[in-house]
Amino acid sequence: YTDGQSRAVTGYTYSPTGALAAGNTTITVSYTEGGVTKTTTQAITVTTINTTLNSNSWATIKAVSDAGKGDNYWDVGDTKTITINGTVQGFTFSNLSIAVFIIGFNHNSSREGNNRIHFQIGKISNKLVGLCDSNYGNYVSSGFCMNTEQTNRGGWSNSHMRKTVLGNSGAPSSPPANSLLAALPADLRAVMKSVSKYSDNNGGGYDTASYVTATTDWLFLLAEFEYHGKRSYANSAEQNYQKQYDYYKAGNSKVHYRHDSTGSAVYAWTRSANGSTFCLVYTDGTPGNSYADRSWALAPGFAA
């Protein structure tokens, strides 16, 4: 004590006792000090965590992620079902039920941010799928293309895909109209965390290290190295800033299927620029590349 005196503390009690139910509650502690009974209270929030990922709310998942404890409860590959609903660059998703799945815990955290669980969209009937619009495979001037012209000028940072299709020109609280971000459920958008992703943000070259810089993304396409753990076509400096996702490092299939026809394998975009093109994952799961103004499948990632 600050007055230099010592006093006995007795009659220590607290309530409630036993296991606390989920929700908001108050802890009350009473004790006797110097013959005087004192009481103090503290409001707390009790969260119940289910080891089945899909049985938790997004708010609970974020609370666990904030504490850096995600891998104490769940595993890479675990899924949670969401509903995508809305028009994205002219293509309408009508209450599409799709599972998002964990691809890594605190992935590449020294560069991309701590206390994040990384997910990918998504799976249907336990198959990795890509979101496809009605112009899949065609040359287009809008829609699910990396750019509206046959160029990768500006790399990932300034691409039509990053800013307009996925919606990184806005934020989860104010997503751009007609973007995928806007079509995601509100409870998911409420807990999304930004990620610092490194990519070739210049385009027009192969191995220029200075082209690889960071962007702040809410939704992102995986890079070639994040899928494969090796470089085939991407700027060779990207891998200096990236890590392969644990889900793919474990040997899981990289073959994507159409979200609306899960028997059909599709080409899926990555965010990695190559020469005058962008990199792909081919229908057999191997690396490839394509001109930026073609419509291919999307399998975006995000963090919560």
Side-chain angles (χ1 to χ4, degrees), residues 11 56 88 128-129 132 134 139 151 186 211 219 227 235 238 248 262 268 274 283 292:
N56 297 278
V88 181
L128 176 64
V129 299
C132 300
S134 54
Y139 289 97
T151 179
Y211 289 178
L219 282 173
Y227 270 115
N235 184 319
E238 277 198 351
Y248 294 106
T262 56
N274 160 256
T283 53

Side-chain angles (χ1 to χ4, degrees), residues 5 25 38 150 263:
Q5 301 298 312
T25 191
K38 299 182 179 182
Q150 202 167 98

Side-chain angles (χ1 to χ4, degrees), residues 152-153 200 203-206 233 235 273-278:
N152 66 11
R153 189 181 306 112
D200 185 320
Y206 288 91
Y233 299 102
N235 184 319
N274 160 256
S276 60
T277 66
F278 280 92

Side-chain angles (χ1 to χ4, degrees), residues 84-292:
I84 299 176
N85 192 38
T87 299
V88 181
Q89 298 302 302
F91 183 82
T92 299
F93 293 97
S94 182
N95 294 314
L96 174 67
S97 180
I98 187 169
V100 302
F101 61 99
I102 296 174
I103 52 177
F105 295 99
N106 289 321
H107 172 81
N108 201 15
S109 59
S110 63
R111 296 190 183 277
E112 300 189 17
N114 289 310
N115 296 339
R116 282 159 169 76
I117 302 174
H118 289 233
F119 294 83
Q120 190 171 12
I121 309 172
K123 289 186 177 183
I124 294 176
S125 299
N126 206 36
K127 279 189 172 182
L128 176 64
V129 299
L131 304 176
C132 300
D133 68 10
S134 54
N135 287 311
Y136 173 82
N138 295 322
Y139 289 97
V140 292
S141 57
S142 63
F144 293 6
C145 52
M146 293 299 292
N147 280 318
T148 58
E149 298 177 349
Q150 202 167 98
T151 179
N152 66 11
R153 189 181 306 112
W156 167 247
S157 177
N158 289 312
S159 66
H160 168 76
M161 175 64 67
R162 177 178 176 269
K163 290 185 169 183
T164 305
V165 181
L166 298 183
N168 288 295
S169 58
S173 59
S174 54
N178 301 313
S179 67
L180 182 59
L181 187 60
L184 296 180
D187 59 341
L188 169 55
R189 287 191 284 109
V191 304
M192 290 175 70
K193 299 176 181 178
S194 63
V195 179
S196 295
K197 282 294 184 183
Y198 284 79
S199 322
D200 185 320
N201 289 317
N202 190 89
Y206 288 91
D207 299 315
T208 305
S210 62
Y211 289 178
V212 179
T213 56
T215 53
T216 300
D217 295 336
W218 300 101
L219 282 173
F220 53 87
L221 299 182
L222 273 62
E224 181 186 68
F225 191 83
E226 290 172 339
Y227 270 115
H228 303 286
K230 63 180 181 179
R231 181 260 186 169
S232 295
Y233 299 102
N235 184 319
S236 59
E238 277 198 351
Q239 62 190 297
N240 298 333
Y241 301 89
Q242 299 169 351
K243 290 185 178 180
Q244 186 181 22
Y245 273 104
D246 286 342
Y247 178 82
Y248 294 106
K249 191 174 183 178
N252 288 296
S253 175
K254 304 175 187 71
V255 177
H256 300 67
Y257 295 87
R258 285 187 70 105
H259 79 273
D260 54 0
S261 179
T262 56
S264 301
V266 290
Y267 287 5
W269 282 121
T270 81
R271 70 176 190 273
S272 299
N274 160 256
S276 60
T277 66
F278 280 92
C279 297
L280 291 172
V281 179
Y282 279 158
T283 53
D284 61 357
T286 60
N289 57 66
S290 175
Y291 288 119

